[in-house]
Amino acid sequence: MGLVVQKYGGSSVADAEGIKRVAKRIVEAKKNGHQVVAVVSAMGDTTDELIDLAEQVSPIPAGRELDMLLTAGERISMALLAMAIKNLGHEAQSFTGSQAGVITDSVHNKARIIDVTPGRIRESLDEGNIAIVAGFQGVSQDTKDITTLGRGGSDTTAVALAAALDAEVCEIYTDVDGVFTADPRVVKKARKIDWISFEDMLELAASGSKVLLHRCVEYARRYNIPIHVRSSFSGLQGTWVSSEPINQGDKQVEQAIISGVAHDTSEAKVTVVGVPDKPGEAAAIFRTIADAEINIDMVVQNVSAAATGLTDISFTLPKTEGRKAIDALEKNKGTIGFDSLRYDDQIGKISLVGAGMKTNPGVTADFFTALSDAGVNIELISTSEIRISVVTRKDDVPEAVRAVHTAFGLDSDSDEAVVYGGTGR
Ligand code: ASP
Ligand code: MG
């Protein structure tokens, strides 16, 4: 019986009842002979509420102070959880990210973990305690200031601790039963995936699937830490994310041709209209965007209209970066040379992900057929070895996701996708 790291999200510890339920589950694991480290998020929507509060006193809160404020959320849940466990007659100690040895760079609000030195956690475990760790936070190596890892960062804390402590598994407890073939909030007939490779999971996360953060999966793949995503409400087997299939009982788990359909409505499209069709133009546009520290997603340049010698270049980016991108391009309009800019935030992206598409030639055709049968118009297309993505009108997204899900035979016979909690905020 080895060491397990368990992570509980905000919806699992939303209130006192939730905290008591989670405490029982942790004690179960301990009774089964495991050493247990539990990483917790802030209760319910606490983080959002703290951000709202900060914005009431200052429209652009100072990064250092915002981090100090937000880390309070996880401190509340970790202390309450330790108390609840003690109340069940077991020993537990809570630790802040800094005490747990989560060392980061000094970029406030989206720090990266650069090292984990969990000496105190190890000691506490060796003394027989259950260790509770505040997720989503660390301490900067340079400034010694408290940092946070970006929204949803507790998953990354859990995987990083699992790697540093050489855990058997990192269990991520959430408000659904695992990773589904589509967002169960959109597709009632989404099916739970028993096993998925790190590669497919990374593509799903990059394509808008919210169940696991991209950074967390990246970390798990780098250190080869198997992740088990499951519900803290149901106790069912969830989804294993690992390099090789993990068999469940006598069930032979295999690589699926298609892992799932992801969607994302958080992006916008910028079109640079009337760009001279000559070398160096795309470079100038995307240098401008890069200098503004904006990450872009898809890019297309349409066929130049021969008569004018001009072309249009469109790209997608997070809506939150839209203003910045437009300002940066406008500022450099003279040097880049274009007619005008168009901004469209009513778009959505639908992606089909699966390693099997490398060896199954019909996948792309079937994908486009499903979209056309559903009457969905495609505006942009991009592909990787194991993914096809299209941009459509935002309003078409739910229908398109369902159509593609059905077309690839992913629908389950029953409505097995249960959403147990969370406000989806
Ligand atoms: N409480 C933080 C958030 O809501 C971190 C997390 O939940 O993982 O983003
Ligand atoms: Mg949260």
Side-chain angles (χ1 to χ4, degrees):
M1 288 292 157
L3 189 156
V4 296
V5 174
Q6 303 187 328
K7 179 260 170 177
Y8 293 92
S11 51
S12 298
V13 293
D15 51 21
E17 278 319 305
I19 289 174
K20 289 199 271 186
R21 196 186 62 243
V22 165
K24 277 201 202 122
R25 191 177 272 277
I26 293 171
V27 165
E28 266 332 295
K30 171 83 178 168
K31 280 193 194 151
N32 287 335
H34 291 288
Q35 285 191 315
V36 189
V37 177
V39 174
V40 282
S41 293
M43 295 171 71
D45 291 333
T46 302
T47 307
D48 292 287
E49 286 157 14
L50 290 173
I51 292 173
D52 289 349
L53 197 55
E55 285 170 353
Q56 283 172 44
V57 297
S58 162
I60 304 170
R64 180 186 184 279
E65 305 313 324
L66 186 61
D67 276 351
M68 207 55 127
L69 177 72
L70 296 189
T71 52
E74 271 72 11
R75 275 198 183 217
I76 294 172
S77 41
M78 75 177 191
L80 289 170
L81 184 55
M83 290 174 199
I85 291 173
K86 280 169 174 284
N87 188 53
L88 296 173
H90 289 260
E91 287 310 316
Q93 284 184 326
S94 62
F95 298 92
T96 63
S98 162
Q99 289 175 319
V102 179
I103 315 290
T104 71
D105 61 20
S106 50
V107 184
H108 284 294
N109 312 146
K110 51 175 178 195
R112 269 185 182 273
I113 297 178
I114 52 182
D115 196 12
V116 182
T117 52
R120 288 195 68 183
I121 303 298
R122 186 69 84 187
E123 249 169 60
S124 181
L125 292 171
D126 289 346
E127 284 163 13
N129 296 307
I130 291 165
I132 314 292
V133 178
F136 167 65
Q137 53 179 271
V139 61
S140 157
Q141 189 169 48
D142 297 339
T143 62
K144 309 290 176 223
D145 282 331
I146 297 300
T147 53
T148 62
L149 308 177
R151 297 308 307 273
S154 300
D155 290 3
T156 312
T157 304
V159 170
L161 272 172
L165 291 163
D166 200 17
E168 212 161 74
V169 56
C170 181
E171 296 186 322
I172 308 262
Y173 285 92
T174 180
D175 50 12
V176 288
D177 281 317
V179 180
F180 282 79
T181 48
D183 184 342
R185 291 174 170 90
V186 173
V187 181
K188 283 274 164 298
K189 292 203 177 302
R191 194 161 2 120
K192 192 184 79 197
I193 300 170
D194 292 324
W195 169 78
I196 183 170
S197 66
F198 285 131
E199 284 67 32
D200 279 15
M201 193 64 236
L202 277 172
E203 286 281 2
L204 283 177
S207 306
S209 161
K210 288 182 201 66
V211 58
L212 284 179
L213 231 63
H214 191 267
R215 222 182 239 192
C216 148
V217 185
E218 220 172 36
Y219 212 104
R221 178 173 65 167
R222 185 166 347 126
Y223 294 95
N224 199 18
I225 301 294
I227 301 179
H228 186 186
V229 185
R230 56 197 308 195
S231 163
S232 68
F233 297 82
S234 77
L236 297 172
Q237 273 284 319
T239 302
W240 285 87
V241 188
S242 60
S243 49
E244 296 296 328
I246 289 174
N247 284 334
Q248 299 184 354
D250 50 9
K251 212 151 120 193
Q252 188 66 32
V253 179
E254 280 169 15
Q255 174 81 58
I257 294 176
I258 298 300
S259 285
V261 188
H263 70 275
D264 189 353
T265 51
S266 69
E267 294 189 340
K269 181 173 77 173
V270 173
T271 302
V272 189
V273 180
V275 181
D277 194 7
K278 62 175 175 45
E281 282 302 314
I285 290 170
F286 292 107
R287 175 60 54 207
T288 302
I289 296 299
D291 287 347
E293 290 188 17
I294 297 168
N295 287 316
I296 57 159
D297 183 14
M298 296 184 181
V299 179
V300 288
Q301 172 177 321
N302 61 10
V303 184
S304 168
T308 59
L310 297 177
T311 178
D312 295 351
I313 293 180
S314 296
F315 61 91
T316 61
L317 78 179
K319 269 181 208 165
T320 48
E321 306 281 21
R323 186 73 263 161
K324 220 164 63 173
I326 295 291
D327 289 348
L329 287 168
E330 282 295 356
K331 219 176 93 203
N332 293 307
K333 186 172 178 182
T335 45
I336 302 170
F338 58 83
D339 284 346
S340 59
L341 295 173
R342 251 184 249 144
Y343 183 72
D344 179 357
D345 61 4
Q346 293 303 306
I347 61 160
K349 183 172 73 169
I350 299 134
S351 304
L352 185 69
V353 171
M357 67 176 72
K358 276 191 273 196
T359 46
N360 283 268
V363 171
T364 308
D366 291 347
F367 182 60
F368 292 139
T369 304
L371 292 169
S372 96
D373 288 350
V376 174
N377 187 41
I378 298 168
E379 299 181 17
L380 300 182
I381 303 171
S382 92
T383 62
S384 83
E385 253 198 318
I386 60 169
R387 174 186 53 76
I388 318 171
S389 304
V390 295
V391 165
T392 66
R393 286 293 89 203
K394 187 179 170 189
D395 292 341
D396 287 340
V397 167
E399 192 47 44
V401 172
R402 285 191 283 268
V404 170
H405 195 266
T406 304
F408 280 89
L410 297 172
D411 288 358
S412 72
D413 308 330
S414 57
D415 290 1
E416 62 175 285
V418 185
V419 179
Y420 296 95
T423 59
R425 201 178 154 177

